Amino acid sequence: MIWPLVALTLPSFAVLVRHILKKRSAVRKHYAPIVDISAEDMFHNPRAAYEKALKDHGPVIGVRRKGRLEYIVDEELSHTILTSDSILSFEEGAATILNFHYVLHYFESFFGDLDDLVRNVIAARLPQIVENVFPVFANHVKDYMNLPLEPTKNNQAKIFNNAHEVDICTLASKSISESMVLTILGPKFVNEKNLDIVRHVAEELAVAGGMYTNTSLIGRTFPGTWRMFTWTRVLFTSIRLFCLAIGPQVWKELRLYRHMFENKAQFEGELEQNENILLFLTRKNMRQEHSSGKRTSDLALFLRVMIVILGLEMFSDFTDSHSIIFASIHQTSSIVVWIVFEIACRPEYLPSLREELFRNANIDPIDNSPMATYQALQDAEHLDSFIREVLRTKGDTLSLCRKSTQDVTIGGCIIPKGYLVMPLATRSHLSPKYHGPDASEFNGTRWVSTDKRAVKLSASYFPFGLGRWACPGRTLAVAEIKMIVWSIICQATPVLKGNSYRITDPLNITSVPPVGEMSFIPFSG
């Protein structure tokens, strides 16, 4: 009697055993290996540590860093990671890495609003923006060059005879802050008090966004506590100060623009002439009201606009080291430091850069400051090539990220839902497969007479991201860098003490600039 029963149940039992064995095999075969990388290697020699781990265990590995498990992929999978938007979320990844969850929770359209704003207002008005802000950069450099030379404590001249010691990061952040306030808010907001507040808030938001956690022992050891404390401090000090100082001015402008839109026939000419970001946001809100039939309160519009402005302060025109669509004033300043330091270390490139400058720009015969159009900046292919080569070779590692929205299979490995996924940028940027046998060498003219501009992205070069969420403001970012560089080399020769600089955070090279003692030697052409 038992044998018929066995005969009936045996096939089902066999299927069950086969399913269990298959599942266990799949787990062993497909889940990415978790690799232990020591804190010493991770924070002081990350490129070598991550590249070795990928070589030994890749193409996908899991690594625990600052209290969370992250997945890293090699160069063959970079394009897949950065362009698979349906399964790997940019917004979720950016909010996680920058500690910005609450913005995404309460303002779901935050990143979309920023993206829309940069694409449809900033990028569309680049020629006009360059014309408006170029004098800002030239004037800031001129102010530095007009400062009196002061002897050091031992009564010797600073670093070089007749040279001006310069904090290049401060010079860049001051000029970029003024440029962005002029572009985002308009000339009414450009005054010393507002500019100081904007610079302070941009730097504080960079801190709150986690850009300095690698250099903080507390930030590395207790990341959750550090994030909570830092955001609380920034929210109740810097952001509060920004809202109290800038908020009333924004409120006044928004109410004025709403009145103008509600009486469009009367103010049509003025609306067309005064296009700016506040006006754009008001127009967008009015269109949404018209389509929905519901009027947004002035307070709701004000709060939404202030959040977007703070986002632009933080992520205005460059992609940051963690794949946000726009980098901060702080971020672009960091890139400027890299470019100018490299020019100082490689003076053999200065003649061609200056020849290009004098050919394309108009030079003021009195103060030797430059002025040029956006098209002239576009034609500066030697400077463009130099910028692209610096961005390619400076050593970005985990510079972009996404977050899995479901269990996904990448490179034959399963990445569970809810985890950060990052390409190791150096594997692509310095790959001989993509860039030839001299890929690891710096060649400032490598991209001259090619179609590969500093803003053109691919699987082999993605300092501004890649795919749908590639930085839409990267053209303005590179234009700002060119304006600063031209303003400097037209009036001075940048020189570094010892012809060298020091990297303070190898794991976050994009966000934390290198340090060095820089001077400007006056140049008259």
Side-chain angles (χ1 to χ4, degrees), residues 356-403:
E356 186 174 66
L357 158 64
F358 295 137
R359 185 175 68 248
N360 288 288
N362 298 317
I363 310 301
D364 190 309
I366 298 176
D367 60 17
N368 210 38
S369 60
M371 182 62 197
T373 63
Y374 176 64
Q375 185 57 52
L377 295 177
Q378 290 286 88
D379 293 338
E381 64 172 354
H382 280 265
L383 179 54
D384 193 275
S385 175
F386 192 93
I387 292 170
R388 180 182 172 102
E389 190 71 348
V390 172
L391 294 175
R392 184 185 73 86
T393 60
K394 62 187 174 65
D396 292 342
T397 50
L398 306 181
S399 57
L400 301 166
C401 83
R402 298 292 188 263
K403 191 171 186 177

Side-chain angles (χ1 to χ4, degrees), residues 29-224:
K29 182 178 179 181
H30 294 302
Y31 275 88
I34 308 302
V35 180
D36 182 43
I37 297 179
S38 70
E40 175 68 23
D41 288 339
M42 181 179 294
F43 294 108
H44 295 95
N45 195 13
R47 178 188 169 190
Y50 279 99
E51 286 190 354
K52 183 179 186 304
L54 282 170
K55 180 180 179 181
D56 294 343
H57 306 281
V60 182
I61 58 173
V63 178
R64 289 186 174 85
R65 176 169 68 110
K66 291 187 289 189
R68 66 180 163 223
L69 179 63
E70 302 169 340
Y71 287 89
I72 317 300
V73 305
D74 68 10
E75 71 274 18
E76 299 294 336
L77 300 173
S78 296
H79 185 273
T80 301
I81 292 299
L82 298 176
T83 57
S84 301
D85 300 328
S86 62
I87 56 176
L88 295 165
S89 169
F90 160 80
E91 299 101 318
E92 290 287 345
T96 299
I97 207 74
L98 288 173
N99 312 320
F100 232 52
H101 300 86
Y102 72 93
V103 171
L104 197 61
H105 178 74
Y106 290 106
F107 300 91
E108 293 182 1
S109 62
F110 175 72
F111 293 115
D113 284 342
L114 291 181
D115 185 58
D116 184 36
L117 189 55
V118 173
R119 290 181 188 277
N120 294 299
V121 180
I122 294 179
R125 297 173 57 239
L126 275 175
Q128 180 184 342
I129 290 172
V130 168
E131 181 181 346
N132 292 339
V133 304
F134 207 137
V136 171
F137 298 105
N139 289 336
H140 275 277
V141 174
K142 182 169 61 178
D143 289 344
Y144 261 93
M145 299 307 296
N146 289 336
L147 291 174
L149 293 172
E150 298 178 2
T152 56
K153 292 181 179 179
N154 60 8
N155 221 27
Q156 298 296 313
K158 290 181 179 290
I159 306 178
F160 302 96
N161 292 328
N162 197 32
H164 296 261
E165 191 175 82
V166 177
D167 182 341
I168 186 65
C169 193
T170 299
L171 169 61
S173 66
K174 282 185 174 181
S175 54
I176 293 170
S177 295
E178 184 172 342
S179 167
M180 293 313 300
V181 169
L182 187 62
T183 301
I184 296 170
L185 301 174
K188 292 181 182 179
F189 289 80
V190 179
N191 58 63
E192 187 174 350
K193 178 183 177 182
N194 284 353
L195 295 178
D196 285 344
I197 290 172
V198 165
R199 281 186 61 226
H200 175 70
V201 172
E203 187 65 26
E204 286 287 89
L205 284 173
V207 173
M211 294 184 186
Y212 291 102
T213 55
N214 295 338
T215 57
S216 166
L217 178 61
I218 296 176
R220 296 197 306 265
T221 309
F222 306 103

Side-chain angles (χ1 to χ4, degrees), residues 178-476:
E178 184 172 342
S179 167
M180 293 313 300
V181 169
L182 187 62
T183 301
I184 296 170
L185 301 174
K188 292 181 182 179
F189 289 80
V190 179
N191 58 63
E192 187 174 350
K193 178 183 177 182
N194 284 353
L195 295 178
D196 285 344
I197 290 172
V198 165
R199 281 186 61 226
H200 175 70
V201 172
E203 187 65 26
E204 286 287 89
L205 284 173
V207 173
M211 294 184 186
Y212 291 102
T213 55
N214 295 338
T215 57
S216 166
L217 178 61
I218 296 176
R220 296 197 306 265
T221 309
F222 306 103
T225 303
W226 186 92
R227 285 193 292 267
M228 182 177 65
F229 171 79
T230 304
W231 266 114
T232 301
R233 178 182 62 79
V234 170
L235 182 62
F236 288 100
T237 56
S238 303
I239 293 180
R240 177 175 172 270
L241 174 64
F242 177 87
C243 292
L244 290 175
I246 307 292
Q249 302 170 63
V250 172
W251 173 268
K252 181 179 178 181
E253 290 295 295
L254 287 176
R255 295 202 62 174
L256 172 62
Y257 289 145
R258 170 165 262 180
H259 172 72
M260 293 169 71
F261 274 112
E262 289 173 347
N263 299 273
K264 193 172 182 179
Q266 181 181 350
F267 296 100
E268 181 124 21
E270 190 172 347
L271 287 170
E272 292 177 358
Q273 294 175 4
N274 294 298
E275 181 67 40
N276 60 50
I277 287 176
L278 291 181
L279 188 62
F280 172 83
L281 292 171
T282 307
R283 178 188 292 113
K284 183 176 180 180
N285 181 77
M286 297 293 285
R287 287 173 178 168
Q288 290 174 346
E289 288 182 359
H290 179 74
S291 62
S292 66
K294 297 179 181 179
R295 189 182 191 277
T296 305
S297 69
D298 289 346
L299 179 60
L301 174 61
F302 170 74
L303 291 175
R304 182 174 182 179
V305 168
M306 288 296 289
I307 288 292
V308 171
I309 290 173
L310 282 168
L312 285 166
E313 298 290 351
M314 188 175 181
F315 318 123
S316 53
D317 55 10
F318 209 83
T319 194
D320 88 334
S321 63
H322 302 297
S323 81
I324 194 73
I325 40 181
F326 319 113
S328 62
I329 291 167
H330 161 89
Q331 199 81 354
T332 310
S333 301
S334 176
I335 302 299
V336 169
V337 174
W338 273 101
I339 302 298
V340 178
F341 275 15
E342 285 293 333
I343 289 175
C345 289
R346 306 175 190 275
E348 65 272 19
Y349 289 99
L350 265 174
S352 62
L353 294 178
R354 281 189 171 130
E355 189 278 328
E356 186 174 66
L357 158 64
F358 295 137
R359 185 175 68 248
N360 288 288
N362 298 317
I363 310 301
D364 190 309
I366 298 176
D367 60 17
N368 210 38
S369 60
M371 182 62 197
T373 63
Y374 176 64
Q375 185 57 52
L377 295 177
Q378 290 286 88
D379 293 338
E381 64 172 354
H382 280 265
L383 179 54
D384 193 275
S385 175
F386 192 93
I387 292 170
R388 180 182 172 102
E389 190 71 348
V390 172
L391 294 175
R392 184 185 73 86
T393 60
K394 62 187 174 65
D396 292 342
T397 50
L398 306 181
S399 57
L400 301 166
C401 83
R402 298 292 188 263
K403 191 171 186 177
S404 55
T405 56
Q406 62 188 56
D407 289 358
V408 297
T409 301
I410 302 290
C413 295
I414 297 173
I415 297 176
K417 176 182 178 180
Y419 285 88
L420 294 179
V421 188
M422 307 178 187
L424 186 62
T426 52
R427 296 281 290 181
S428 296
H429 289 181
L430 301 176
S431 170
K433 172 185 174 181
Y434 293 134
H435 304 293
D438 64 342
S440 60
E441 298 176 13
F442 184 95
N443 178 359
T445 59
R446 185 186 298 269
W447 312 106
V448 174
S449 300
T450 73
D451 65 345
K452 295 181 179 179
R453 312 289 290 180
V455 298
K456 188 171 183 179
L457 310 175
S458 68
S460 64
Y461 171 81
F462 42 81
F464 301 100
L466 191 64
R468 162 70 179 86
W469 290 104
C471 173
R474 60 188 181 274
T475 47
L476 175 59

